Amino acid sequence: MNKKALITGINGQDGSYLSEFLLKKGYEVWGTVKRNSVSETQSSRIEHLLKDGKVKLEYADLTDMSSLIRIIQKVKPEEIYNLAAQSHVRVSFDQPIYTTNVTGLGTLNLLEACRMVSPNSKIYQASSSEMFGNNIDDDGYQRETTPMNPVSPYGCAKVFSYNICRNYRNSYGMKIWNGILFNHESPRRGTNFVTNKVVKAAVRIKLGLQEKLHLGNLDATRDWGHAKDYVEAMWLMLQSTLKPDDYVCATGVSHSVKDLCDYTFNKLDLDFRDYVVIDEKHMRPEELYDLKGDSTKLRSELGWTPKYTFETMLDEMTEYWLNKYE
Ligand code: NAP
Ligand code: GDD
């Protein structure tokens, strides 16, 4: 019998790559989608997986525990990947209560549903480097032991989820892993996140479809990896024969938003300084300045190694947008 996996937020960037990864491993893949008035967009990233019924979808929302109970009861999955969230940091300042309900309390709804109807399922929780805020260890990295000091409603909600997962693991012996993932991107990344926003705009400018690119803080640095590499880390955690634990997943290399613009525009024989406009609208009330992760634990205990670099990832994203417009 094939193993069954349930992915919340299956139509997100990570959900789509994880579905492909699990299907290749022979899993029966189930996913939850949130109802949208435009039905095409609620499964747009996984259209190619729906054709032969490879992936099975159910409506569910993290804020509606009854919907979670219903699907977990129906599927009884061996593995649950909780990827659903309001995942945009800037938006979390505009919608703090909604973000907390989904990204924070939503996780507790899922844990309770699971505890009631499928307590032996293994659970992956999508925790985030945003939880560290501006805390950095003396050597310049963040790791599992770095104290958490979130600087956004999103980060605060993720810290709650991280802690409640640890609490359920310790209190009830549930098999729950927190993957503390640093930023990861791809051609499927939402274009309101900075990498895909920059790449898409640079290609449009090159093709004469756009004149300027409005951005916020260019000095912030991030440790950017590729989503394909990171979904493998999620799976590795749930295959571990060690006790359930928390793992940082990161490349260990960081770049500024300015570096990102420089590399992307250069590749297209453009100078970003001629096109980028600094716009207050994209600044955050409190900024997280620098992220660089140490994933030694994940690499040494579970054998994870990323295949993409910052450059090969951006090249793939540029290629995607060039093909799309040409
Ligand atoms: P994403 O593209 O924004 O996908 C999030 C998914 O969650 C979407 O399918 C979304 O559906 C769904 N969702 C939103 N609200 C929901 C709700 N109330 N109930 C059920 N589903 C809901 O995010 P991602 O980049 O794939 O990230 C996956 C997870 O990892 C998220 O939890 C994110 O916070 C976390 N994370 C991401 C990164 C990163 O760099 N990508 C790093 C660390 C942690 P709609 O599209 O219909 O809204
Ligand atoms: N989105 C965006 N748009 N960010 C901008 C812009 C802009 O126009 N201009 C500058 N930035 C800066 C932000 O201020 C931030 O410092 C950096 O670019 C990265 O922003 P995002 O791409 O929006 O990602 P994020 O780091 O805030 O959050 C992502 O990574 C987290 C992990 O660290 C999200 O995927 C979160 O869900 C994830 O947890």
Side-chain angles (χ1 to χ4, degrees):
M1 274 269 282
N2 293 349
K3 266 204 230 174
K4 283 191 258 184
L6 172 65
I7 304 173
T8 68
I10 194 167
N11 191 43
Q13 170 191 253
D14 292 2
S16 67
Y17 284 113
L18 181 63
S19 301
E20 287 167 2
F21 180 89
L22 294 176
L23 285 171
K24 275 201 194 113
K25 295 261 173 217
Y27 280 72
E28 183 178 321
V29 177
W30 289 74
T32 71
V33 286
K34 201 161 109 272
R35 192 263 166 180
N36 188 311
S37 65
V38 182
S39 60
E40 287 77 12
T41 58
Q42 67 202 5
S43 52
S44 52
R45 286 194 181 97
I46 50 168
E47 268 326 308
H48 59 296
L49 304 177
L50 298 178
K51 283 186 200 110
D52 326 316
K54 279 189 195 152
V55 162
K56 297 172 183 59
L57 297 184
E58 294 279 330
Y59 284 110
D61 194 298
L62 281 196
T63 60
D64 177 353
M65 195 167 81
S66 67
S67 67
L68 301 171
I69 292 174
R70 187 179 49 75
I71 185 165
I72 296 172
Q73 176 94 61
K74 176 171 178 178
V75 180
K76 286 272 165 56
E78 277 90 353
E79 297 176 11
I80 299 177
Y81 295 85
N82 184 31
L83 308 187
Q86 190 302 91
S87 72
H88 200 283
V89 174
R90 177 69 189 81
V91 172
S92 79
F93 285 97
D94 301 331
Q95 297 191 313
I97 297 170
Y98 173 75
T99 302
T100 305
N101 277 336
V102 176
T103 307
L105 276 180
T107 306
L108 180 54
N109 284 335
L110 180 80
L111 295 181
E112 273 294 290
C114 204
R115 188 163 77 94
M116 285 174 197
V117 295
S118 189
N120 288 322
S121 297
K122 294 182 188 180
I123 303 174
Y124 171 85
Q125 167 58 18
S127 286
S128 163
S129 47
E130 185 74 19
M131 301 188 306
F132 296 123
N134 288 309
N135 274 352
I136 305 178
D137 288 358
D138 290 343
D139 63 359
Y141 290 86
Q142 286 104 354
R143 47 178 61 82
E144 292 82 3
T145 48
T146 306
M148 290 175 186
N149 187 20
V151 293
S152 63
Y154 168 83
C156 293
K158 283 287 184 190
V159 170
F160 171 78
S161 287
Y162 165 85
N163 279 322
I164 200 72
C165 283
R166 287 166 62 96
N167 174 244
Y168 270 52
R169 188 162 78 199
N170 297 332
S171 305
Y172 306 119
M174 288 170 69
K175 291 169 244 158
I176 309 170
W177 282 257
N178 275 297
I180 308 173
L181 272 49
F182 281 60
N183 299 50
H184 44 280
E185 319 292 316
S186 73
R188 296 184 196 167
R189 181 63 138 155
T191 50
N192 54 353
F193 294 93
V194 77
T195 53
N196 221 10
K197 179 175 175 179
V198 168
V199 178
K200 181 182 177 189
V203 167
R204 285 174 57 83
I205 289 170
K206 179 73 184 173
L207 299 176
L209 300 170
Q210 183 172 333
E211 287 181 0
K212 295 287 177 194
L213 165 60
H214 288 245
L215 290 176
N217 180 12
L218 299 191
D219 295 323
T221 67
R222 291 290 183 272
D223 179 331
W224 279 297
H226 196 298
K228 262 191 199 170
D229 285 331
Y230 286 45
V231 300
E232 181 176 9
M234 298 174 186
W235 176 77
L236 282 171
M237 286 178 217
L238 267 53
Q239 311 318 305
S240 171
T241 50
L242 306 170
K243 63 178 181 24
D245 207 343
D246 308 323
Y247 291 92
V248 158
C249 181
T251 69
V253 180
S254 84
H255 295 271
S256 65
V257 176
K258 207 179 280 159
D259 295 338
L260 160 69
C261 293
D262 199 28
Y263 182 83
T264 309
F265 278 76
N266 250 329
K267 270 271 166 176
L268 296 163
D269 298 319
L270 300 170
D271 185 338
F272 81 89
R273 291 168 199 85
D274 296 334
Y275 306 100
V276 169
V277 177
I278 301 303
D279 188 337
E280 274 299 315
K281 193 173 98 183
H282 299 297
M283 299 286 184
R284 292 160 187 203
E286 193 175 2
E287 175 64 290
L288 195 172
Y289 297 105
D290 297 301
L291 283 175
K292 186 165 67 165
D294 172 10
S295 57
T296 304
K297 183 173 167 188
L298 178 67
R299 292 170 194 248
S300 60
E301 290 189 6
L302 305 184
W304 179 77
T305 331
K307 296 177 189 70
Y308 282 86
T309 62
F310 174 70
E311 291 79 12
T312 56
M313 177 187 78
L314 288 176
D315 292 348
E316 184 187 296
M317 292 167 72
T318 305
E319 206 52 44
Y320 169 84
W321 285 109
L322 280 171
N323 286 335
K324 185 112 180 148
Y325 283 113
E326 285 170 359

